[in-house]
Amino acid sequence: MEQLVRHHLGSDLSSARRDAAAFLDNIAGEDEYEGGDRQNWFARWKQIGDDHHVLGDLNLKVGAFAEAAEAWLCALTAFEIAKRLVNETDPQSEDVSAKVDGGIQRFRSPHLQKLEQVKIPCSEQADLPAYYLRAGSRDLPSSAVICISMEQETGATLLGRLLPVMTGRRMSALVVSHGDVSHGSRGQAETLLSHCLDYLAVRPDVDATRIGVYGEGLSAALATEFAASDDRLAAAVCDGGLWHWARIVASVAWMTRNTDRAVDHDVMSSRRKRILRRLRCPVLVVAGGRGIVNVSEALKLQADCMAACIDLELAIPRIISCPGREIENFVIADDCVFGWLEQKLARSTAPQPMSPRKRDQ
């Protein structure tokens, strides 16, 4: 384990992410993970992040802007590892989160001109705050992804994790928080997310025919409802309707007081597919880990979709079991998800409507 956290400040981002993934994969079963040794790992990764921040700032002073950005991205990856080594209630976690916020602000440097804090115009309420990470230009518009953080997570927290994985992918990202889009009446989230899509569709650096959505945790269910309501989306990383389906099943069982576990599998399969047919873009369902999607239900859904020739793929993140907790290998999981989005959005040839088209529910 020692060599996996020994860092070289001259290393590039790809090397830093390989080291991070290797560390997470090898932490399982380590006796030294518990107690004071776990604190040592936390302190080391935090120090790696701090050192890369310093290196990035030095590079910025001498005008080496690309090198500065790469060092800051390495720092964000290191801080993400550190966060996962302590509990969310630990004061040290707040300290690392503050460092992530500081790292994000570095990318708002006028020398980089990649990150903006924007307001999405909404007729129903106050403007929606968001981060916009630009990849394209007027001459070469890029694809774009609306990214929704998981519940009880800020947009900045998600952005700090995604900045390194988005680099070099030629995809722009609009990052919003779950709390900002999930409140209000039923259907309000879809309306707010459609405003996000409106915003992206008129930007000259975005190809309006290649916009996707990505939701984490309960936001995966929001992403499903959004994809079902707006035809303009070209790809969706969502829950495939499984959260909604699980609530229906639980509600029916409660109302009927049905304790019989025997079910009509053909009926269940048909209803699962009915939900998916509302989504006319390619779908990726992420099951297990910190998400809301059960792996066994996701496998059933995937089998149903294969039989019906519905474009749905399944991703199951690698979860590392440690004493008293589980840690997701976010490096590999994020590369998988955004590699899929990059591929699907590159292939899209969807029409470019000027306004959202609501489907019949």
Side-chain angles (χ1 to χ4, degrees):
M1 292 292 293
E2 180 67 27
Q3 65 271 23
L4 294 176
V5 294
R6 188 180 296 128
H7 66 290
H8 304 280
L9 291 183
S11 65
D12 58 19
L13 177 62
S14 60
S15 297
R17 288 181 66 79
R18 281 197 301 271
D19 289 346
F23 174 82
L24 290 171
D25 275 347
N26 284 274
I27 202 171
E30 292 282 345
D31 293 336
E32 59 195 3
Y33 176 80
E34 278 302 292
D37 288 319
R38 177 157 62 103
Q39 286 296 319
N40 289 338
W41 296 130
F42 166 82
R44 290 184 182 215
W45 281 103
K46 179 172 172 289
Q47 187 62 55
I48 290 172
D50 288 338
D51 290 347
H52 275 111
H53 262 180
V54 171
L55 178 63
D57 293 346
L58 291 173
N59 283 326
L60 182 66
K61 288 181 179 179
V62 299
F65 305 128
E67 292 81 357
E70 187 145 29
W72 293 333
L73 291 171
C74 291
L76 288 173
T77 300
F79 289 142
E80 190 66 34
I81 291 278
K83 280 168 49 182
R84 289 160 195 263
L85 294 174
V86 293
N87 296 322
E88 293 180 358
T89 56
D90 192 313
Q92 295 178 106
S93 179
E94 295 182 10
D95 180 43
V96 174
S97 294
K99 291 178 179 294
V100 169
D101 288 340
I104 290 172
Q105 294 308 314
R106 283 167 165 83
F107 281 90
R108 298 186 65 198
S109 162
H111 301 291
L112 299 180
Q113 297 182 341
K114 289 289 186 181
L115 183 64
E116 307 170 39
Q117 282 186 278
V118 299
K119 298 284 188 178
I120 310 300
C122 299
S123 56
E124 301 82 3
Q125 62 171 54
D127 293 348
L128 180 69
Y131 287 97
Y132 178 69
L133 178 65
R134 180 176 58 80
S137 65
R138 287 179 177 270
D139 297 329
L140 188 62
S142 70
S143 59
V145 183
I146 300 168
C147 302
I148 318 164
S149 73
M150 67 187 305
E151 63 279 12
Q152 297 179 337
E153 181 180 74
T154 66
T157 300
L158 176 60
L159 178 64
R161 200 188 85 225
L162 295 188
L163 269 168
V165 77
M166 294 292 291
T167 297
R169 290 193 182 274
R170 296 296 303 170
M171 283 194 302
S172 296
L174 186 71
V175 182
V176 297
S177 75
H178 175 92
D180 287 334
V181 300
S182 64
H183 64 280
S185 59
R186 179 174 173 80
Q188 181 75 3
E190 295 97 277
T191 300
L192 293 174
L193 292 171
S194 281
H195 286 313
C196 292
L197 204 159
D198 293 339
Y199 170 83
L200 290 174
V202 298
R203 285 192 65 109
D205 56 339
V206 171
D207 182 344
T209 70
R210 298 190 292 134
I211 298 175
V213 64
Y214 165 61
E216 287 201 332
L218 286 176
S219 294
L222 297 182
T224 298
E225 292 300 316
F226 177 39
S229 68
D230 199 316
D231 280 326
R232 294 175 295 171
L233 286 170
V237 180
C238 59
D239 77 333
L242 287 176
W243 177 250
H244 179 63
W245 172 243
R247 287 190 298 171
I248 290 175
V249 172
S251 178
V252 170
W254 180 82
M255 287 188 295
T256 61
R257 301 294 192 270
N258 181 15
T259 58
D260 184 2
R261 289 189 172 271
V263 295
D264 187 329
H265 293 285
D266 290 338
V267 171
M268 291 185 69
S269 173
S270 175
R271 291 181 177 176
R272 278 195 296 262
K273 286 186 288 188
R274 189 183 309 164
I275 294 173
L276 258 296
R277 285 196 176 98
R278 296 171 57 204
L279 282 65
R280 299 182 187 176
C281 63
V283 171
L284 177 69
V285 173
V286 181
R290 298 189 304 158
I292 60 173
V293 178
N294 178 277
V295 173
S296 62
E297 287 300 313
L299 289 169
K300 294 174 187 175
L301 181 66
Q302 184 185 40
D304 291 341
C305 290
M306 290 178 64
C309 297
I310 296 174
D311 190 354
L312 179 140
E313 297 178 54
L314 183 63
I316 303 176
R318 174 168 168 72
I319 304 298
I320 300 94
S321 296
C322 302
R325 67 187 302 173
E326 292 182 332
I327 298 178
E328 178 183 284
N329 193 325
F330 69 92
V331 178
I332 294 175
D334 289 343
D335 282 343
C336 171
V337 167
F338 283 88
W340 181 89
L341 280 165
E342 185 177 34
Q343 179 187 47
K344 294 298 181 181
L345 294 177
R347 291 178 178 177
S348 173
T349 56
Q352 184 176 339
M354 295 302 295
S355 60
R357 295 182 300 169
K358 295 293 183 178
R359 297 196 191 107
D360 294 333
Q361 302 298 314

